[in-house]
mmCIF file of all heavy atoms in Angstrom:
data_model
loop_
_atom_site.group_PDB
_atom_site.id
_atom_site.type_symbol
_atom_site.label_atom_id
_atom_site.label_comp_id
_atom_site.label_asym_id
_atom_site.label_seq_id
_atom_site.Cartn_x
_atom_site.Cartn_y
_atom_site.Cartn_z
ATOM 1 N N HIS F 17 -7.383 2.631 16.644
ATOM 2 C CA HIS F 17 -7.580 3.648 17.677
ATOM 3 C C HIS F 17 -7.916 3.115 19.060
ATOM 4 O O HIS F 17 -8.158 3.899 19.960
ATOM 5 C CB HIS F 17 -8.644 4.670 17.254
ATOM 6 C CG HIS F 17 -8.545 5.038 15.816
ATOM 7 N ND1 HIS F 17 -7.375 5.512 15.273
ATOM 8 C CD2 HIS F 17 -9.421 4.946 14.806
ATOM 9 C CE1 HIS F 17 -7.545 5.711 13.981
ATOM 10 N NE2 HIS F 17 -8.779 5.361 13.670
ATOM 11 N N ASP F 18 -7.923 1.789 19.251
ATOM 12 C CA ASP F 18 -8.127 1.294 20.621
ATOM 13 C C ASP F 18 -6.758 1.302 21.297
ATOM 14 O O ASP F 18 -6.244 0.287 21.713
ATOM 15 C CB ASP F 18 -8.664 -0.148 20.622
ATOM 16 C CG ASP F 18 -9.877 -0.306 19.745
ATOM 17 O OD1 ASP F 18 -10.342 0.704 19.216
ATOM 18 O OD2 ASP F 18 -10.353 -1.438 19.607
ATOM 19 N N ASP F 19 -6.162 2.470 21.367
ATOM 20 C CA ASP F 19 -4.765 2.523 21.800
ATOM 21 C C ASP F 19 -4.611 3.025 23.237
ATOM 22 O O ASP F 19 -3.538 3.426 23.649
ATOM 23 C CB ASP F 19 -3.962 3.405 20.841
ATOM 24 C CG ASP F 19 -4.593 4.778 20.682
ATOM 25 O OD1 ASP F 19 -5.557 5.073 21.420
ATOM 26 O OD2 ASP F 19 -4.129 5.553 19.830
ATOM 27 N N GLY F 20 -5.701 3.008 23.986
ATOM 28 C CA GLY F 20 -5.592 3.387 25.388
ATOM 29 C C GLY F 20 -5.672 4.879 25.630
ATOM 30 O O GLY F 20 -5.707 5.327 26.770
ATOM 31 N N ASN F 21 -5.728 5.687 24.562
ATOM 32 C CA ASN F 21 -5.774 7.142 24.765
ATOM 33 C C ASN F 21 -7.138 7.626 25.227
ATOM 34 O O ASN F 21 -7.265 8.709 25.777
ATOM 35 C CB ASN F 21 -5.446 7.871 23.452
ATOM 36 C CG ASN F 21 -3.966 7.862 23.180
ATOM 37 O OD1 ASN F 21 -3.174 7.661 24.090
ATOM 38 N ND2 ASN F 21 -3.598 8.054 21.930
ATOM 39 N N TYR F 22 -8.164 6.854 24.950
ATOM 40 C CA TYR F 22 -9.520 7.324 25.240
ATOM 41 C C TYR F 22 -10.233 6.324 26.136
ATOM 42 O O TYR F 22 -11.277 5.776 25.796
ATOM 43 C CB TYR F 22 -10.292 7.532 23.926
ATOM 44 C CG TYR F 22 -9.514 8.350 22.930
ATOM 45 C CD1 TYR F 22 -9.051 7.803 21.749
ATOM 46 C CD2 TYR F 22 -9.201 9.674 23.226
ATOM 47 C CE1 TYR F 22 -8.292 8.547 20.859
ATOM 48 C CE2 TYR F 22 -8.440 10.427 22.347
ATOM 49 C CZ TYR F 22 -7.991 9.862 21.161
ATOM 50 O OH TYR F 22 -7.236 10.605 20.294
ATOM 51 N N ALA F 23 -9.636 6.061 27.321
ATOM 52 C CA ALA F 23 -10.220 5.176 28.324
ATOM 53 C C ALA F 23 -10.519 3.794 27.745
ATOM 54 O O ALA F 23 -11.468 3.140 28.172
ATOM 55 C CB ALA F 23 -11.493 5.801 28.912
ATOM 56 N N ASP F 24 -9.728 3.380 26.778
ATOM 57 C CA ASP F 24 -9.919 2.076 26.119
ATOM 58 C C ASP F 24 -11.312 1.914 25.518
ATOM 59 O O ASP F 24 -11.822 0.790 25.416
ATOM 60 C CB ASP F 24 -9.620 0.918 27.081
ATOM 61 C CG ASP F 24 -8.120 0.820 27.363
ATOM 62 O OD1 ASP F 24 -7.345 1.017 26.400
ATOM 63 O OD2 ASP F 24 -7.742 0.570 28.507
ATOM 64 N N ALA F 25 -11.909 3.011 25.110
ATOM 65 C CA ALA F 25 -13.228 2.924 24.454
ATOM 66 C C ALA F 25 -13.076 2.145 23.150
ATOM 67 O O ALA F 25 -12.112 2.344 22.411
ATOM 68 C CB ALA F 25 -13.753 4.319 24.161
ATOM 69 N N VAL F 26 -14.019 1.257 22.870
ATOM 70 C CA VAL F 26 -13.977 0.490 21.622
ATOM 71 C C VAL F 26 -14.235 1.432 20.447
ATOM 72 O O VAL F 26 -13.667 1.292 19.373
ATOM 73 C CB VAL F 26 -15.019 -0.645 21.666
ATOM 74 C CG1 VAL F 26 -15.182 -1.297 20.307
ATOM 75 C CG2 VAL F 26 -14.590 -1.680 22.690
ATOM 76 N N VAL F 27 -15.119 2.407 20.685
ATOM 77 C CA VAL F 27 -15.446 3.391 19.654
ATOM 78 C C VAL F 27 -14.802 4.720 20.060
ATOM 79 O O VAL F 27 -14.969 5.151 21.203
ATOM 80 C CB VAL F 27 -16.975 3.543 19.539
ATOM 81 C CG1 VAL F 27 -17.332 4.647 18.560
ATOM 82 C CG2 VAL F 27 -17.598 2.217 19.111
ATOM 83 N N PRO F 28 -14.049 5.343 19.156
ATOM 84 C CA PRO F 28 -13.375 6.597 19.546
ATOM 85 C C PRO F 28 -14.362 7.736 19.766
ATOM 86 O O PRO F 28 -15.459 7.725 19.211
ATOM 87 C CB PRO F 28 -12.476 6.891 18.348
ATOM 88 C CG PRO F 28 -13.128 6.216 17.200
ATOM 89 C CD PRO F 28 -13.800 4.991 17.750
ATOM 90 N N PRO F 29 -13.961 8.708 20.585
ATOM 91 C CA PRO F 29 -14.860 9.851 20.822
ATOM 92 C C PRO F 29 -14.953 10.765 19.596
ATOM 93 O O PRO F 29 -14.100 10.698 18.703
ATOM 94 C CB PRO F 29 -14.174 10.597 21.966
ATOM 95 C CG PRO F 29 -12.737 10.227 21.853
ATOM 96 C CD PRO F 29 -12.684 8.840 21.292
ATOM 97 N N ILE F 30 -15.984 11.593 19.564
ATOM 98 C CA ILE F 30 -16.065 12.627 18.524
ATOM 99 C C ILE F 30 -15.597 13.934 19.140
ATOM 100 O O ILE F 30 -16.180 14.372 20.133
ATOM 101 C CB ILE F 30 -17.512 12.874 18.033
ATOM 102 C CG1 ILE F 30 -18.234 11.583 17.727
ATOM 103 C CG2 ILE F 30 -17.517 13.814 16.843
ATOM 104 C CD1 ILE F 30 -19.690 11.792 17.337
ATOM 105 N N PHE F 31 -14.584 14.527 18.555
ATOM 106 C CA PHE F 31 -14.158 15.849 19.011
ATOM 107 C C PHE F 31 -15.019 16.877 18.294
ATOM 108 O O PHE F 31 -14.611 17.484 17.315
ATOM 109 C CB PHE F 31 -12.668 16.057 18.732
ATOM 110 C CG PHE F 31 -11.787 15.297 19.683
ATOM 111 C CD1 PHE F 31 -11.528 13.951 19.482
ATOM 112 C CD2 PHE F 31 -11.244 15.922 20.791
ATOM 113 C CE1 PHE F 31 -10.731 13.237 20.365
ATOM 114 C CE2 PHE F 31 -10.447 15.219 21.687
ATOM 115 C CZ PHE F 31 -10.195 13.869 21.468
ATOM 116 N N GLN F 32 -16.260 17.028 18.797
ATOM 117 C CA GLN F 32 -17.220 17.910 18.143
ATOM 118 C C GLN F 32 -16.991 19.325 18.659
ATOM 119 O O GLN F 32 -17.765 19.865 19.451
ATOM 120 C CB GLN F 32 -18.654 17.418 18.434
ATOM 121 C CG GLN F 32 -19.736 18.131 17.637
ATOM 122 C CD GLN F 32 -19.645 17.846 16.145
ATOM 123 O OE1 GLN F 32 -19.272 16.745 15.736
ATOM 124 N NE2 GLN F 32 -19.960 18.819 15.337
ATOM 125 N N THR F 33 -15.872 19.896 18.242
ATOM 126 C CA THR F 33 -15.496 21.222 18.719
ATOM 127 C C THR F 33 -14.849 21.992 17.580
ATOM 128 O O THR F 33 -14.176 21.394 16.741
ATOM 129 C CB THR F 33 -14.509 21.114 19.912
ATOM 130 O OG1 THR F 33 -14.126 22.410 20.325
ATOM 131 C CG2 THR F 33 -13.254 20.312 19.555
ATOM 132 N N SER F 34 -15.086 23.306 17.556
ATOM 133 C CA SER F 34 -14.420 24.109 16.527
ATOM 134 C C SER F 34 -13.035 24.524 17.004
ATOM 135 O O SER F 34 -12.132 24.750 16.214
ATOM 136 C CB SER F 34 -15.252 25.357 16.217
ATOM 137 O OG SER F 34 -15.385 26.143 17.380
ATOM 138 N N LEU F 35 -12.876 24.606 18.341
ATOM 139 C CA LEU F 35 -11.714 25.302 18.889
ATOM 140 C C LEU F 35 -10.981 24.476 19.943
ATOM 141 O O LEU F 35 -11.600 23.703 20.685
ATOM 142 C CB LEU F 35 -12.225 26.609 19.530
ATOM 143 C CG LEU F 35 -11.219 27.557 20.119
ATOM 144 C CD1 LEU F 35 -10.277 28.085 19.042
ATOM 145 C CD2 LEU F 35 -11.927 28.722 20.808
ATOM 146 N N PHE F 36 -9.668 24.651 20.004
ATOM 147 C CA PHE F 36 -8.828 24.030 21.037
ATOM 148 C C PHE F 36 -8.038 25.170 21.681
ATOM 149 O O PHE F 36 -7.375 25.927 20.973
ATOM 150 C CB PHE F 36 -7.885 22.998 20.409
ATOM 151 C CG PHE F 36 -8.634 21.915 19.665
ATOM 152 C CD1 PHE F 36 -9.069 22.117 18.355
ATOM 153 C CD2 PHE F 36 -8.936 20.710 20.291
ATOM 154 C CE1 PHE F 36 -9.767 21.139 17.677
ATOM 155 C CE2 PHE F 36 -9.648 19.724 19.612
ATOM 156 C CZ PHE F 36 -10.069 19.934 18.305
ATOM 157 N N THR F 37 -8.122 25.307 22.998
ATOM 158 C CA THR F 37 -7.469 26.459 23.641
ATOM 159 C C THR F 37 -6.111 26.061 24.230
ATOM 160 O O THR F 37 -5.770 24.880 24.316
ATOM 161 C CB THR F 37 -8.363 27.027 24.764
ATOM 162 O OG1 THR F 37 -8.632 25.975 25.686
ATOM 163 C CG2 THR F 37 -9.660 27.579 24.209
ATOM 164 N N PHE F 38 -5.372 27.049 24.644
ATOM 165 C CA PHE F 38 -4.046 26.851 25.253
ATOM 166 C C PHE F 38 -4.094 27.368 26.679
ATOM 167 O O PHE F 38 -4.764 28.365 26.963
ATOM 168 C CB PHE F 38 -2.990 27.661 24.483
ATOM 169 C CG PHE F 38 -2.856 27.237 23.040
ATOM 170 C CD1 PHE F 38 -3.676 27.794 22.055
ATOM 171 C CD2 PHE F 38 -1.906 26.301 22.668
ATOM 172 C CE1 PHE F 38 -3.551 27.410 20.730
ATOM 173 C CE2 PHE F 38 -1.769 25.911 21.343
ATOM 174 C CZ PHE F 38 -2.591 26.466 20.374
ATOM 175 N N SER F 39 -3.349 26.713 27.569
ATOM 176 C CA SER F 39 -3.318 27.262 28.919
ATOM 177 C C SER F 39 -2.087 28.140 29.122
ATOM 178 O O SER F 39 -1.993 28.878 30.089
ATOM 179 C CB SER F 39 -3.384 26.142 29.964
ATOM 180 O OG SER F 39 -2.454 25.156 29.630
ATOM 181 N N GLU F 40 -1.119 28.043 28.190
ATOM 182 C CA GLU F 40 0.099 28.856 28.367
ATOM 183 C C GLU F 40 0.505 29.558 27.060
ATOM 184 O O GLU F 40 0.384 28.982 25.981
ATOM 185 C CB GLU F 40 1.274 27.957 28.781
ATOM 186 C CG GLU F 40 1.171 27.494 30.208
ATOM 187 C CD GLU F 40 2.299 26.527 30.549
ATOM 188 O OE1 GLU F 40 3.219 26.362 29.725
ATOM 189 O OE2 GLU F 40 2.230 25.954 31.638
ATOM 190 N N TYR F 41 0.994 30.754 27.241
ATOM 191 C CA TYR F 41 1.483 31.564 26.114
ATOM 192 C C TYR F 41 2.544 30.805 25.310
ATOM 193 O O TYR F 41 2.505 30.747 24.077
ATOM 194 C CB TYR F 41 2.066 32.869 26.691
ATOM 195 C CG TYR F 41 2.705 33.785 25.668
ATOM 196 C CD1 TYR F 41 1.989 34.837 25.099
ATOM 197 C CD2 TYR F 41 4.045 33.615 25.291
ATOM 198 C CE1 TYR F 41 2.577 35.678 24.172
ATOM 199 C CE2 TYR F 41 4.636 34.442 24.365
ATOM 200 C CZ TYR F 41 3.907 35.478 23.800
ATOM 201 O OH TYR F 41 4.499 36.299 22.891
ATOM 202 N N ASP F 42 3.520 30.199 26.030
ATOM 203 C CA ASP F 42 4.631 29.520 25.348
ATOM 204 C C ASP F 42 4.145 28.384 24.461
ATOM 205 O O ASP F 42 4.674 28.159 23.373
ATOM 206 C CB ASP F 42 5.636 28.963 26.376
ATOM 207 C CG ASP F 42 6.525 30.073 26.909
ATOM 208 O OD1 ASP F 42 6.473 31.188 26.347
ATOM 209 O OD2 ASP F 42 7.249 29.813 27.891
ATOM 210 N N GLU F 43 3.130 27.695 24.947
ATOM 211 C CA GLU F 43 2.586 26.581 24.174
ATOM 212 C C GLU F 43 1.913 27.111 22.901
ATOM 213 O O GLU F 43 2.047 26.557 21.817
ATOM 214 C CB GLU F 43 1.575 25.824 25.039
ATOM 215 C CG GLU F 43 1.288 24.436 24.530
ATOM 216 C CD GLU F 43 0.062 23.804 25.180
ATOM 217 O OE1 GLU F 43 -0.493 24.393 26.132
ATOM 218 O OE2 GLU F 43 -0.342 22.744 24.684
ATOM 219 N N MET F 44 1.203 28.227 23.070
ATOM 220 C CA MET F 44 0.499 28.809 21.926
ATOM 221 C C MET F 44 1.483 29.297 20.868
ATOM 222 O O MET F 44 1.323 29.038 19.668
ATOM 223 C CB MET F 44 -0.395 29.961 22.400
ATOM 224 C CG MET F 44 -1.352 30.446 21.339
ATOM 225 S SD MET F 44 -2.516 31.631 22.041
ATOM 226 C CE MET F 44 -3.696 31.768 20.713
ATOM 227 N N ILE F 45 2.538 29.958 21.301
ATOM 228 C CA ILE F 45 3.492 30.510 20.324
ATOM 229 C C ILE F 45 4.269 29.374 19.649
ATOM 230 O O ILE F 45 4.532 29.420 18.434
ATOM 231 C CB ILE F 45 4.401 31.593 20.973
ATOM 232 C CG1 ILE F 45 4.860 32.569 19.888
ATOM 233 C CG2 ILE F 45 5.585 31.018 21.713
ATOM 234 C CD1 ILE F 45 5.430 33.859 20.429
ATOM 235 N N ALA F 46 4.571 28.306 20.393
ATOM 236 C CA ALA F 46 5.282 27.154 19.806
ATOM 237 C C ALA F 46 4.413 26.516 18.727
ATOM 238 O O ALA F 46 4.890 26.091 17.675
ATOM 239 C CB ALA F 46 5.620 26.141 20.891
ATOM 240 N N SER F 47 3.120 26.502 19.002
ATOM 241 C CA SER F 47 2.197 25.898 18.064
ATOM 242 C C SER F 47 2.075 26.746 16.788
ATOM 243 O O SER F 47 2.046 26.223 15.678
ATOM 244 C CB SER F 47 0.876 25.745 18.812
ATOM 245 O OG SER F 47 -0.067 25.324 18.005
ATOM 246 N N TYR F 48 2.030 28.056 16.955
ATOM 247 C CA TYR F 48 1.973 28.945 15.786
ATOM 248 C C TYR F 48 3.262 28.883 14.972
ATOM 249 O O TYR F 48 3.256 29.072 13.759
ATOM 250 C CB TYR F 48 1.662 30.387 16.224
ATOM 251 C CG TYR F 48 0.177 30.662 16.176
ATOM 252 C CD1 TYR F 48 -0.659 30.157 17.156
ATOM 253 C CD2 TYR F 48 -0.394 31.373 15.130
ATOM 254 C CE1 TYR F 48 -2.024 30.359 17.104
ATOM 255 C CE2 TYR F 48 -1.758 31.589 15.068
ATOM 256 C CZ TYR F 48 -2.568 31.085 16.061
ATOM 257 O OH TYR F 48 -3.920 31.275 16.000
ATOM 258 N N ARG F 49 4.370 28.640 15.659
ATOM 259 C CA ARG F 49 5.656 28.528 14.928
ATOM 260 C C ARG F 49 5.783 27.175 14.245
ATOM 261 O O ARG F 49 6.748 26.924 13.534
ATOM 262 C CB ARG F 49 6.818 28.668 15.919
ATOM 263 C CG ARG F 49 7.077 30.093 16.348
ATOM 264 C CD ARG F 49 8.343 30.113 17.209
ATOM 265 N NE ARG F 49 8.614 31.413 17.731
ATOM 266 C CZ ARG F 49 8.950 31.671 18.999
ATOM 267 N NH1 ARG F 49 9.054 30.683 19.864
ATOM 268 N NH2 ARG F 49 9.176 32.906 19.381
ATOM 269 N N GLY F 50 4.863 26.274 14.521
ATOM 270 C CA GLY F 50 4.921 24.938 13.932
ATOM 271 C C GLY F 50 5.886 24.022 14.669
ATOM 272 O O GLY F 50 6.227 22.939 14.197
ATOM 273 N N GLU F 51 6.373 24.447 15.874
ATOM 274 C CA GLU F 51 7.311 23.604 16.633
ATOM 275 C C GLU F 51 6.562 22.473 17.324
ATOM 276 O O GLU F 51 7.129 21.458 17.669
ATOM 277 C CB GLU F 51 8.051 24.452 17.687
ATOM 278 C CG GLU F 51 9.000 25.455 17.067
ATOM 279 C CD GLU F 51 9.395 26.595 18.008
ATOM 280 O OE1 GLU F 51 9.051 26.546 19.219
ATOM 281 O OE2 GLU F 51 10.026 27.535 17.511
ATOM 282 N N LYS F 52 5.274 22.707 17.544
ATOM 283 C CA LYS F 52 4.474 21.689 18.213
ATOM 284 C C LYS F 52 3.188 21.507 17.403
ATOM 285 O O LYS F 52 2.480 22.487 17.162
ATOM 286 C CB LYS F 52 4.144 22.193 19.629
ATOM 287 C CG LYS F 52 3.481 21.150 20.452
ATOM 288 C CD LYS F 52 3.364 21.529 21.906
ATOM 289 C CE LYS F 52 2.695 20.355 22.586
ATOM 290 N NZ LYS F 52 1.901 20.712 23.689
ATOM 291 N N VAL F 53 2.953 20.274 16.947
ATOM 292 C CA VAL F 53 1.725 20.055 16.165
ATOM 293 C C VAL F 53 0.612 19.641 17.112
ATOM 294 O O VAL F 53 0.710 18.619 17.795
ATOM 295 C CB VAL F 53 1.951 18.971 15.080
ATOM 296 C CG1 VAL F 53 0.661 18.719 14.307
ATOM 297 C CG2 VAL F 53 3.066 19.394 14.136
ATOM 298 N N ARG F 54 -0.404 20.440 17.192
ATOM 299 C CA ARG F 54 -1.584 20.125 18.005
ATOM 300 C C ARG F 54 -2.765 20.879 17.414
ATOM 301 O O ARG F 54 -2.584 21.862 16.674
ATOM 302 C CB ARG F 54 -1.374 20.483 19.473
ATOM 303 C CG ARG F 54 -0.977 21.917 19.709
ATOM 304 C CD ARG F 54 -1.475 22.434 21.034
ATOM 305 N NE ARG F 54 -2.894 22.753 20.988
ATOM 306 C CZ ARG F 54 -3.580 23.239 22.004
ATOM 307 N NH1 ARG F 54 -3.042 23.415 23.174
ATOM 308 N NH2 ARG F 54 -4.861 23.556 21.872
ATOM 309 N N PRO F 55 -3.983 20.423 17.666
ATOM 310 C CA PRO F 55 -5.127 21.133 17.090
ATOM 311 C C PRO F 55 -5.254 22.541 17.657
ATOM 312 O O PRO F 55 -5.022 22.753 18.849
ATOM 313 C CB PRO F 55 -6.327 20.275 17.502
ATOM 314 C CG PRO F 55 -5.782 19.022 18.065
ATOM 315 C CD PRO F 55 -4.382 19.264 18.474
ATOM 316 N N ILE F 56 -5.589 23.484 16.778
ATOM 317 C CA ILE F 56 -5.826 24.873 17.181
ATOM 318 C C ILE F 56 -7.272 25.234 16.851
ATOM 319 O O ILE F 56 -7.994 25.804 17.660
ATOM 320 C CB ILE F 56 -4.881 25.830 16.413
ATOM 321 C CG1 ILE F 56 -3.415 25.480 16.692
ATOM 322 C CG2 ILE F 56 -5.191 27.275 16.764
ATOM 323 C CD1 ILE F 56 -2.421 26.283 15.868
ATOM 324 N N TYR F 57 -7.665 24.842 15.627
ATOM 325 C CA TYR F 57 -8.985 25.193 15.099
ATOM 326 C C TYR F 57 -9.361 24.061 14.154
ATOM 327 O O TYR F 57 -8.518 23.595 13.372
ATOM 328 C CB TYR F 57 -8.871 26.540 14.370
ATOM 329 C CG TYR F 57 -10.153 27.115 13.846
ATOM 330 C CD1 TYR F 57 -11.207 27.401 14.699
ATOM 331 C CD2 TYR F 57 -10.310 27.393 12.488
ATOM 332 C CE1 TYR F 57 -12.392 27.938 14.212
ATOM 333 C CE2 TYR F 57 -11.491 27.936 11.995
ATOM 334 C CZ TYR F 57 -12.522 28.204 12.864
ATOM 335 O OH TYR F 57 -13.688 28.742 12.379
ATOM 336 N N THR F 58 -10.599 23.607 14.198
ATOM 337 C CA THR F 58 -10.970 22.386 13.480
ATOM 338 C C THR F 58 -10.781 22.471 11.969
ATOM 339 O O THR F 58 -10.513 21.459 11.332
ATOM 340 C CB THR F 58 -12.391 21.947 13.901
ATOM 341 O OG1 THR F 58 -12.245 21.199 15.115
ATOM 342 C CG2 THR F 58 -13.077 21.070 12.882
#
Side-chain angles (χ1 to χ4, degrees):
H17 320 305
D18 308 355
D19 54 7
N21 282 340
Y22 310 113
D24 289 320
V26 170
V27 175
I30 313 176
F31 285 81
Q32 189 66 34
T33 178
S34 61
L35 183 63
F36 302 83
T37 57
F38 298 87
S39 48
E40 286 176 8
Y41 176 96
D42 282 350
E43 198 193 353
M44 191 172 191
I45 207 164
S47 174
Y48 267 76
R49 283 186 184 134
E51 292 161 8
K52 187 170 181 211
V53 178
R54 55 149 283 181
I56 300 174
Y57 184 59
T58 276

